[in-house]
């Protein structure tokens, strides 16, 4: 038996379906061959095993996007044998691909079945006439992720290619529910009447008769309540001519006091639709759907309301990838993400920037998560022929495929569409036609959206510029989404609320969502003085601690969706983690960051939350004056009113909690510490219940005054040009933030600090090399005489590159220049006319180590410029003798 047939038999047995009756469906994710190249003979000739790889679905060919900016975009092939059971002979057979990015052409036994354009929506083909039921069939699929006529064409994420969701085979009797309606299952459910007192359900759909003679059928809908008891049944007779489609439309009788669907109470009703042969009563097809009773509104003054009550949308945006597997996620992984978001207390998801897996939508309904789903028209509308048609088709597909999910409240179709538009076309006359086609496409899609679904709101997401209103985009959709990054890409944190106020004043009737806001973070970087764009874990905390209270406290803002739930793949990005956009609330592997618990503390009212931040910072260091312990702040996130903190079991007292945060000053000494927090939970789970959290931390003091004794075992490593501690994943060494030199201590003299966000080659410690002191005059250590090892870190970043592409509104301050300087240590020239870029190349890490004998009770390193400017990215000092 072939694998397929075995699987098929298992499938049949496990569901004990009568062989000849009704709808049979199963995945065909296994046994595929894959070729990472185009191949004209692929539909006709069996794959050459030397060249084709064995793969199974979900699959992407773009795991290279984690290392290469220029990841593979082009044509690839998938091929598989299909052995169809002979019992399917006489049935209608369909192939469904849940997603193939960006476009797929399907061939069976060498003949082209059809093409699907769009990488994020499903497609279904009737393959009956192409198939043999008594000999093996070849199925070949050509997938292309380079197409410029298919959205997205420009965006801050990787356009992973491949068949990265499930592929299904379905066999049905000749009379069946219509399966080739834009990848949907042909049945559409809505709730035309819905209130606390009563609700009705409208069931629409089509039946297809693929037989050469007319059919007399019976269509039955059975409505089940949330407890699975039958509430109503409806039957009707149907007559369909050969080859025709029959459209049905049935509204149920009113259901009194329906249990309303909300994220807190996700009550689902079920509609089972059964198609029978009128005479024999044999079941031909059967289809199940969930629906929920809920109504909602968006208002410019009142914000969002659900079932008649004001309701704050507490949301996150979600990309669909995971390092190192790209977008080839299993359904379980999608469900895991939904659980994590729900666990955090979110009630809303922006499924960004494209339609996602059915597994995710199913969970939105079942776990209770309102949803915004959108198609990926991003940055600019190109004039490529066919682009607008493809957008329209993808929009219709998304809506029809996910129409039945009660969780969905809004559909979107454009994101920051003026961003690249304005950057690329600055002259009035060049910009005009682009704006015209952008507006025309928006209007066209708005019409299509409402024609497809008048029950949901429409939306677009803008970046923080009023030009969207000025050009007329602001008044097209029902809701306006703002992607705001004040205090990240530019401006300061309070610019956020000012922007919202201004918009509200100018357009008081526009319902508004903050569709994005977020800050990058890297667990190797920590700071006691966090700054915008330093990628420290602490700046992300600070940024979100500012944004969230504004969102919660501004009634006219419907809510917000944090950007992004995960650290996601964006091959073009060069930041602290090249190829990754690290604004996640969880890491790529879904381990929560501290801020996840901040949201959880703010949003969960039903369980106690207590979390000591910064969890990742387990090897701490700090500058020590003399022998006194080093005082460092420790932050606790909690939804309880008061917290007590302990170090090694000793209480540091209690603190009142504000903004779900309490900060303690904690004395650290040179050892392993155990820091714990306790809070009494009277509010949530009855009185007297104590909640605890604890973390182990090691602490290494860095002496402010260096003497012979404390130097003996010290590796003084300084992250020059940075306000951040940097801990290397490889050596575990912590590099401390830089400081200006003061007599008796150590530090830099002259220059200014610079944070260049570019990829640094030759090292895995990129962030350490990205920051530097530009124009540095000298570096001094007031240390006793002896023999020392000194190491310098350099990376010349003074050349233009493409790194700034997605740094919204951040000015690129790149100077291109030649840098050449001499290095003199205590009057001895160790480098004459030294040029780091000549030695290792621009953007390459370079480390240089010297042994020197100190006779002066001071090490002074002077930089004397020959060309350009002197600079230093890091310095390390060890006393040898
Ligand atoms: C946006 C921001 C995001 C980007 C999003 C985009 C970011 N530029 O990833 O795709 O919509 O992290 O910078 O607003
Ligand atoms: Ca540095």
């Amino acid at each position: 038996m072939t694998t397929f047939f075995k699987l098929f038999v298992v499938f049949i047995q496990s569901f004990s379906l009568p062989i000849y009756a009704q709808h049979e469906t199963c995945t065909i994710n296994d046994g595929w061959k894959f070729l990472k190249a185009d191949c004209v003979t692929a539909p006709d000739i069996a794959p050459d095993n030397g060249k084709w790889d064995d793969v199974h679905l979900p699959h992407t060919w773009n795991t290279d996007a984690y290392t290469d900016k220029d990841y593979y975009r082009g044509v690839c092939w998938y091929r598989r044998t299909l052995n169809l059971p002979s019992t399917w002979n006489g049935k209608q057979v369909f192939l469904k691909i849940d997603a193939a990015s960006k476009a797929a052409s399907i061939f069976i036994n060498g003949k082209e079945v059809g093409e699907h354009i769009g990488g994020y929506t499903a497609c279904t083909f009737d393959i009956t006439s192409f198939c043999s039921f008594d000999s093996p069939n070849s199925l070949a699929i050509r997938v292309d992720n380079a197409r410029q006529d298919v959205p997205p064409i420009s965006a801050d994420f990787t356009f992973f290619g491949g068949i990265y969701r499930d592929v299904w085979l379905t066999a049905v009797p000749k009379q069946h529910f219509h399966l080739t309606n834009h990848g949907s299952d042909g049945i559409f459910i809505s709730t035309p009447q819905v209130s606390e007192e009563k609700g009705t359900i409208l069931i629409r759909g089509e039946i297809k008769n693929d037989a050469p003679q007319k059919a007399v059928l019976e269509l039955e809908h059975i409505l089940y309540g949330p407890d699975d008891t039958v509430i109503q049944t409806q039957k009707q007779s149907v007559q369909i001519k050969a080859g025709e489609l029959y459209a049905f439309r049935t509204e149920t009788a009113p259901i009194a006091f329906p249990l309303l669907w909300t994220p807190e109470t996700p009550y689902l009703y079920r509609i089972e639709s059964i198609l029978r042969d009128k005479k024999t009563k044999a079941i031909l097809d059967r289809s199940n759907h969930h629906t929920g009773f809920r109504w909602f509104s968006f208002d410019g003054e009142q914000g969002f309301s659900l079932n008649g009550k004001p309701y704050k949308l507490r949301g996150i945006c979600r990309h669909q990838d995971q390092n190192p597997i790209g977008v080839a996620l299993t359904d379980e992984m999608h469900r895991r993400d939904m659980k994590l978001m729900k666990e955090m207390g979110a009630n809303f998801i922006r499924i960004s920037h494209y339609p996602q897996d059915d597994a995710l939508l199913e969970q939105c309904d079942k776990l209770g998560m309102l949803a915004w789903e959108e198609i990926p028209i991003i940055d600019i509308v190109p004039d490529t022929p066919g682009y607008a048609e493809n957008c329209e088709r993808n929009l219709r597909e998304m809506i029809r495929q996910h129409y039945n999910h009660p969780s969905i409240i809004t559909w979107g179709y454009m994101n920051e569409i003026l961003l690249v538009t304005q950057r690329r076309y600055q002259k009035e006359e060049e910009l005009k036609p682009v704006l015209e086609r952008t507006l025309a496409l928006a209007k066209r899609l708005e019409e299509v959206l409402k024609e497809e679904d008048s029950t949901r709101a429409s939306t677009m997401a803008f970046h923080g510029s009023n030009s969207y209103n000025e050009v007329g985009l602001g008044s097209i959709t029902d809701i306006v989404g703002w992607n705001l990054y004040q205090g990240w890409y530019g401006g300061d944190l309070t610019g956020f609320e000012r922007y919202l106020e201004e918009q509200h004043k100018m357009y008081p009737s526009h319902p508004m969502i903050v569709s994005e806001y977020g800050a990058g973070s890297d667990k190797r970087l920590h700071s006691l003085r966090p700054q915008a764009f330093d990628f420290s874990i602490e700046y992300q905390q600070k940024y979100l601690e500012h944004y969230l209270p504004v969102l919660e406290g501004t009634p006219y803002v419907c809510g917000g969706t944090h950007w992004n739930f995960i650290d996601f793949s964006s091959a073009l990005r060069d930041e602290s983690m090249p190829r990754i956009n690290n604004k996640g609330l969880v890491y790529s592997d879904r381990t929560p960051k501290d801020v996840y618990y901040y949201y959880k503390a703010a949003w969960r009212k039903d369980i106690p939350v207590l979390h000591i931040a910064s969890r990742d910072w387990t090897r701490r260091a700090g500058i020590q004056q003399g022998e006194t312990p080093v005082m460092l702040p420790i932050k606790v996130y909690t939804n309880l009113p008061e917290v007590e903190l302990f170090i090694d079991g000793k209480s540091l007292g209690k603190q009142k909690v504000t903004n779900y945060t309490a900060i303690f000053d904690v004395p650290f000494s040179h050892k392993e510490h155990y820091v714990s927090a306790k809070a009494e939970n009277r509010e949530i789970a009855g009185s007297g219940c104590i909640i605890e959290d604890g973390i182990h931390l090691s602490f290494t003091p860095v002496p402010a005054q260096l003497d012979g004794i404390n130097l003996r075992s010290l590796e003084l490593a300084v992250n020059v040009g940075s306000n951040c501690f940097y801990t290397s994943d490889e050596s575990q060494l912590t590099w401390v933030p830089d400081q200006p030199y003061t007599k008796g201590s150590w530090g830099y003299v002259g220059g200014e600090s610079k944070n260049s966000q570019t990829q640094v080659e030759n090292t895995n410690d990129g962030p350490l090399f990205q920051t530097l002191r530009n124009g540095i005059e000298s570096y001094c250590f007031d240390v006793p005489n002896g023999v020392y090892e000194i190491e310098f870190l350099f990376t010349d970043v003074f050349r233009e590159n493409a790194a700034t592409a997605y740094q919204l509104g951040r000015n690129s301050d790149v100077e291109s220049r030649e840098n050449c300087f001499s290095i003199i240590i205590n009057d001895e020239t160790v480098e004459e006319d030294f040029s780091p870029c000549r030695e290792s190349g621009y953007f390459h890490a370079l480390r240089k180590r010297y042994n020197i004998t100190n006779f002066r009770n001071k090490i002074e390193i002077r930089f004397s410029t020959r060309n350009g400017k002197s600079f230093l990215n890091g310095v390390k000092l060890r006393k040898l003798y």
Side-chain angles (χ1 to χ4, degrees):
M1 263 197 294
T2 66
T3 329
F4 169 73
F5 195 70
K6 268 188 240 154
L7 267 184
F8 172 73
V9 168
V10 168
F11 175 79
I12 291 291
Q13 286 164 348
S14 62
F15 290 81
S16 62
L17 297 171
I19 286 280
Y20 293 103
Q22 63 181 19
H23 192 115
E24 298 162 31
T25 189
C26 61
T27 53
I28 46 165
N29 291 338
D30 57 324
W32 290 85
K33 296 272 179 199
F34 170 72
L35 182 71
K36 195 174 171 180
D38 199 358
C39 171
V40 278
T41 57
D44 307 304
I45 298 171
D48 163 354
N49 281 329
K51 291 198 194 125
W52 292 64
D53 292 328
D54 289 323
V55 298
H56 62 91
L57 310 181
H59 175 260
T60 175
W61 63 70
N62 281 127
T63 52
D64 57 348
Y66 290 107
T67 47
D68 301 334
K69 252 185 209 182
D70 195 14
Y71 60 95
Y72 184 85
R73 263 161 289 182
V75 171
C76 295
W77 283 89
Y78 292 82
R79 208 169 189 277
R80 189 192 191 280
T81 302
L82 284 184
N83 290 306
L84 302 179
S86 57
T87 52
W88 282 15
N89 204 347
K91 291 190 155 200
Q92 217 63 20
V93 181
F94 296 87
L95 175 76
K96 181 171 184 233
I97 302 171
D98 280 350
S101 173
K102 288 169 130 184
S105 301
I106 293 94
F107 300 82
I108 291 181
N109 299 329
K111 286 207 202 78
E112 182 160 4
V113 174
E115 183 190 32
H116 180 252
I117 298 172
Y120 304 88
T121 43
C123 56
T124 307
F125 295 94
D126 183 338
I127 58 170
T128 319
S129 64
F130 297 86
C131 291
S132 159
F133 296 88
D134 48 28
S135 59
N137 299 280
S138 75
L139 166 61
I141 304 178
R142 175 187 194 272
V143 185
D144 180 351
N145 70 333
R147 300 242 329 224
Q148 289 302 303
D149 58 337
V150 187
I153 50 152
S154 161
D156 178 27
F157 60 93
T158 303
F159 308 153
F160 287 95
I163 306 180
Y164 67 93
R165 289 183 195 150
D166 296 317
V167 175
W168 303 84
L169 271 188
T170 297
V172 282
K174 290 291 174 197
Q175 294 84 27
H176 52 88
F177 294 117
H178 184 39
L179 285 180
T180 51
N181 182 353
H182 288 76
S184 74
D185 69 2
I187 295 181
F188 304 97
I189 314 247
S190 55
T191 52
Q193 293 192 51
V194 53
S195 68
E196 274 186 40
E197 293 77 34
K198 69 169 184 188
T200 62
I201 297 171
L202 176 67
I203 308 154
R204 291 177 296 135
E206 284 165 326
I207 300 165
K208 179 96 196 282
N209 179 11
D210 277 311
Q213 63 278 13
K214 80 161 200 224
V216 185
L217 310 171
E218 182 182 275
L219 173 63
E220 184 180 25
H221 300 293
I222 309 172
L223 171 64
Y224 300 85
D227 60 356
D228 237 8
T229 54
V230 175
I231 300 183
Q232 285 182 32
T233 56
Q234 300 233 358
K235 254 186 214 169
Q236 71 184 93
S237 290
V238 172
Q239 285 213 27
I240 325 181
K241 287 195 197 128
E244 293 214 330
L245 272 177
Y246 172 91
F248 61 86
R249 184 188 171 93
T250 316
E251 190 166 341
T252 63
I255 295 132
F257 297 98
L259 290 168
L260 300 181
W261 186 97
T262 71
E264 295 70 36
T265 57
Y267 289 118
L268 293 172
Y269 288 71
R270 176 162 70 103
I271 298 102
E272 186 180 24
S273 304
I274 302 173
L275 193 62
R276 291 194 186 85
D277 184 296
K278 176 108 191 196
K279 216 158 75 214
T280 65
K281 299 288 182 221
I283 292 177
L284 301 169
D285 203 352
R286 194 203 301 257
S287 188
N288 277 285
H289 295 92
H290 273 139
T291 191
F293 290 103
R294 88 282 182 270
W295 69 98
F296 56 86
S297 68
F298 291 92
D299 185 273
E301 294 291 350
Q302 313 294 317
F304 180 71
S305 61
L306 183 63
N307 301 335
K309 295 181 198 100
Y311 192 95
K312 189 64 90 176
L313 294 170
R314 299 179 163 152
I316 55 269
C317 300
R318 189 246 187 190
H319 265 303
Q320 63 177 3
D321 61 291
Q322 180 169 339
N323 194 353
I325 58 168
V327 289
L329 269 65
T330 58
D331 286 359
E332 297 94 281
M333 295 166 88
H334 295 297
R335 289 194 283 270
R336 167 208 55 193
D337 284 1
M338 283 301 306
K339 279 186 210 130
L340 271 170
M341 293 181 239
K342 185 74 189 172
E343 173 71 26
M344 189 176 81
N347 59 27
F348 183 46
I349 178 174
R350 177 178 174 207
I351 301 174
S352 51
H353 287 308
Y354 39 75
Q356 295 187 20
D357 204 289
D358 292 343
L360 193 88
L361 275 301
E362 183 200 314
Q363 294 303 301
C364 287
D365 294 349
K366 288 186 173 166
L367 296 179
M369 187 80 86
L370 293 156
W372 153 346
E373 193 168 37
E374 65 194 45
I375 55 166
I377 308 177
I378 301 168
D379 292 347
I380 188 165
V381 175
D383 57 0
T384 321
Y387 183 81
E389 287 67 35
N390 291 335
C391 291
E392 179 181 326
R393 189 173 335 93
N394 287 171
L395 180 65
R396 286 191 199 277
E397 287 172 340
M398 172 178 75
I399 297 177
R400 293 194 197 179
Q401 289 171 24
H402 291 161
Y403 183 89
N404 295 329
H405 293 284
S407 48
I408 293 183
I409 52 176
T410 177
W411 304 113
Y413 51 78
M414 278 181 185
N415 182 67
E416 301 194 341
I417 205 64
L418 297 183
L419 183 77
V420 171
T421 307
Q422 288 170 336
R423 210 176 275 166
R424 198 172 293 166
Y425 302 103
Q426 292 181 352
K427 289 198 203 99
E428 187 68 41
E429 66 275 17
E430 285 173 352
L431 188 59
K432 210 170 154 243
V434 194
L435 288 180
E436 275 166 11
R437 70 170 178 261
T438 305
L439 275 167
L441 181 59
K443 285 180 186 152
R444 171 173 174 180
L445 295 178
E446 182 68 19
E447 240 172 72
V448 168
L449 189 152
K450 292 295 176 184
E451 174 193 315
E452 289 287 330
D453 187 356
S454 58
T455 73
R456 266 92 173 201
S458 60
T459 184
M460 277 193 240
F462 302 149
H463 74 277
S465 153
N466 195 49
S467 47
Y468 289 91
N469 291 313
E470 287 153 15
V471 306
L473 282 164
S475 53
I476 294 178
T477 49
D478 299 324
I479 316 165
V480 165
W482 288 108
N483 299 347
L484 299 176
Y485 288 91
Q486 288 84 357
W488 181 248
Y489 290 114
D492 61 31
L493 292 170
T494 56
F496 174 56
E497 50 268 32
R498 286 200 304 274
Y499 194 86
L500 295 173
E501 277 157 34
E502 272 166 34
Q503 277 300 319
H504 183 59
K505 228 181 245 155
M506 286 190 287
Y507 306 95
S509 62
H510 274 187
M512 218 194 291
I513 292 189
V514 177
S515 37
E516 286 184 30
Y517 63 100
S521 73
D522 183 326
K523 65 173 148 195
R524 297 169 298 174
L525 291 164
H526 289 280
S527 185
L528 303 173
R529 293 170 282 125
Q531 291 165 13
F533 232 70
D534 64 10
F535 292 87
S536 69
I537 289 287
E538 288 70 24
Y539 190 77
Q540 185 187 35
Q541 297 172 5
K542 181 174 170 176
Y543 176 100
L544 298 180
E545 287 165 24
H546 180 87
Y547 271 63
L548 190 61
V550 175
L551 285 169
E552 293 281 333
T554 313
Y556 60 79
V557 174
C558 295
T561 42
H562 174 270
W563 188 259
N564 191 278
F565 188 59
I566 62 165
D567 280 2
F568 64 92
S569 163
S570 177
L572 282 178
R573 250 187 206 263
D574 277 318
E575 290 176 341
S576 78
M577 293 150 70
R579 321 277 84 77
I580 300 288
N581 184 322
N582 55 16
K583 297 190 185 73
L585 296 178
V586 301
Y587 297 102
S588 177
D589 71 359
R590 275 51 173 180
T591 307
K593 298 184 187 177
D594 296 306
V595 285
Y596 175 94
Y597 295 96
Y598 171 61
Y599 278 85
K600 190 172 177 183
W603 286 348
R604 292 295 297 260
K605 306 288 176 219
D606 54 335
I607 52 160
V609 177
L610 183 70
H611 170 87
I612 301 175
S614 300
R615 199 56 144 230
D616 300 317
W617 197 8
T618 51
R619 291 166 187 278
R620 302 201 187 190
I623 310 289
Q624 185 174 35
Q625 303 289 344
E627 297 290 302
T628 50
V630 180
M631 301 303 287
L632 291 180
I634 291 272
K635 187 192 288 184
V636 180
Y637 286 134
T638 182
N639 56 359
L640 298 170
E642 202 177 60
V643 194
E644 184 171 6
L645 198 80
F646 301 82
I647 182 155
D648 304 319
K650 188 175 155 283
S651 174
L652 298 168
K654 290 184 177 170
Q655 292 235 7
K656 293 257 173 283
V657 173
T658 40
N659 191 16
Y660 310 99
T661 302
I663 298 174
F664 293 83
D665 254 336
V666 182
F668 283 91
S669 325
H670 195 178
K671 62 175 185 187
E672 288 264 341
H673 287 289
Y674 180 66
V675 176
S676 52
K678 261 189 203 170
E680 206 180 323
N681 169 29
R682 290 204 199 88
E683 293 66 25
I684 298 165
S687 77
C689 175
I690 302 288
I691 308 296
E692 288 182 307
D693 188 29
I695 54 173
H696 292 276
L697 301 173
S698 76
F699 182 77
T700 311
V702 175
Q705 298 86 26
L706 303 166
D707 59 42
I709 297 162
N710 63 27
L711 264 172
R712 219 176 279 152
S713 61
L714 183 72
E715 189 153 356
L716 175 56
V718 187
N719 183 3
V720 176
S722 176
N723 59 313
C724 290
F725 293 88
Y726 174 80
T727 305
S728 166
D729 283 339
E730 291 172 336
S731 66
Q732 307 279 335
L733 180 66
T734 294
W735 299 68
V736 299
D738 205 0
Q739 59 178 23
Y741 170 72
T742 51
K743 210 170 155 35
S745 186
W746 52 269
Y748 64 80
V749 178
E752 48 191 47
S753 52
K754 176 178 170 71
N755 187 348
S756 70
Q757 291 296 329
T758 71
Q759 185 178 357
V760 180
E761 306 293 339
N762 231 358
T763 179
N764 291 322
D765 290 322
L768 182 60
F769 290 87
Q770 285 173 341
T771 52
L772 55 104
R773 192 108 199 133
N774 187 16
I776 189 166
E777 288 160 30
S778 62
Y779 213 96
C780 299
F781 299 92
D782 287 355
V783 286
N785 290 343
V787 183
Y788 287 83
E789 177 190 87
I790 294 184
E791 183 165 10
F792 298 126
L793 275 54
F794 299 103
T795 295
D796 193 327
V797 297
F798 297 96
R799 200 184 60 171
E800 268 187 77
N801 71 359
T804 41
Y806 268 98
Q807 302 189 356
L808 304 187
R810 263 184 93 77
N811 301 327
S812 65
D813 54 350
V814 189
E815 317 159 49
S816 282
R817 63 178 204 227
E818 280 279 329
N819 297 296
C820 183
F821 46 90
S822 297
I823 305 175
I824 303 116
I825 307 181
N826 285 0
D827 289 341
E828 193 188 317
T829 303
V830 296
E831 295 291 340
E832 178 99 57
D833 293 346
F834 168 64
S835 164
C837 79
R838 237 181 283 141
E839 239 166 273
S840 66
Y842 284 100
F843 308 111
H844 278 67
L846 175 64
R847 297 174 76 142
K848 288 223 148 209
R849 201 152 61 198
Y850 312 86
N851 284 357
I852 61 130
T853 307
N854 172 19
F855 302 109
R856 300 180 171 181
N857 284 311
K858 172 171 186 149
I859 296 175
E860 183 182 19
I861 303 138
R862 283 192 302 114
F863 299 86
S864 146
T865 308
R866 169 75 175 258
N867 250 324
K869 277 183 186 169
S870 53
F871 64 87
L872 183 66
N873 306 55
V875 65
K876 191 151 68 69
L877 182 79
R878 286 199 313 129
K879 188 167 190 289
L880 299 176
Y881 304 99

